[in-house]
Amino acid sequence: QVQLVESGGGSVQSGGSLRLSCAASGHTSSSVCMAWFRQAPGKQREGLAGLDTFGRTNYADSVKGRFTISKDNAKSTLYLQMNRLKPEDTAIYYCAANTAYDYCSGSIRTYSYNTWGQGTQVTVSS
């Protein structure tokens, strides 16, 4: 089983940038499927960005062009570079993983993942 720990959250003004990290331990082969999600108060968890087996990216429309997902397999770490942040990006950000698949589709659906980190808070002020 894989364990996930997010870091890099914080407070930033509108237009600023943050980079989130998700360190994976345990089952950390390159075949682990991983993605980023967020959940704002009173809202459902929203898929943001995923990676498929070939490194192709999949983004939600709300973050496309502003956020970039990447993965360092040597460090077993997933990243989310967030630029041009907006107040509506304020949420708890989670990384997610699933080791059960032979192929990662880049899904950003919550049901595609069975392991979640504890989350990191991102607050964007206007």
Side-chain angles (χ1 to χ4, degrees):
Q1 185 71 329
V2 63
Q3 293 81 44
L4 306 172
V5 178
E6 301 96 336
S7 61
S11 297
V12 64
Q13 289 192 326
S14 182
S17 299
L18 285 173
R19 188 176 82 152
L20 305 183
S21 299
C22 174
S25 60
H27 183 142
T28 57
S29 74
S30 60
S31 64
V32 175
C33 302
M34 299 182 75
W36 285 100
F37 293 78
R38 69 184 178 191
Q39 189 164 17
K43 295 188 176 181
Q44 290 189 330
R45 192 163 296 190
E46 175 190 15
L48 301 177
L51 282 169
D52 78 2
T53 297
F54 303 105
R56 292 174 298 202
T57 55
N58 179 31
Y59 294 101
D61 288 343
S62 59
V63 304
K64 197 173 295 182
R66 300 188 298 125
F67 291 10
T68 303
I69 187 173
S70 62
K71 188 179 178 190
D72 186 332
N73 289 320
K75 295 182 179 179
S76 300
T77 300
L78 185 73
Y79 300 99
L80 186 68
Q81 177 67 43
M82 306 187 294
N83 298 329
R84 292 185 283 136
L85 283 161
K86 306 174 183 179
E88 51 264 44
D89 294 319
T90 296
I92 299 175
Y93 284 68
Y94 300 90
C95 68
N98 195 319
T99 59
Y101 302 134
D102 293 328
Y103 169 72
C104 302
S105 67
S107 171
I108 52 173
R109 303 285 189 177
T110 56
Y111 57 69
S112 297
Y113 301 90
N114 59 10
T115 302
W116 297 82
Q118 83 290 349
T120 185
Q121 177 71 46
V122 171
T123 302
V124 185
S125 57
S126 57

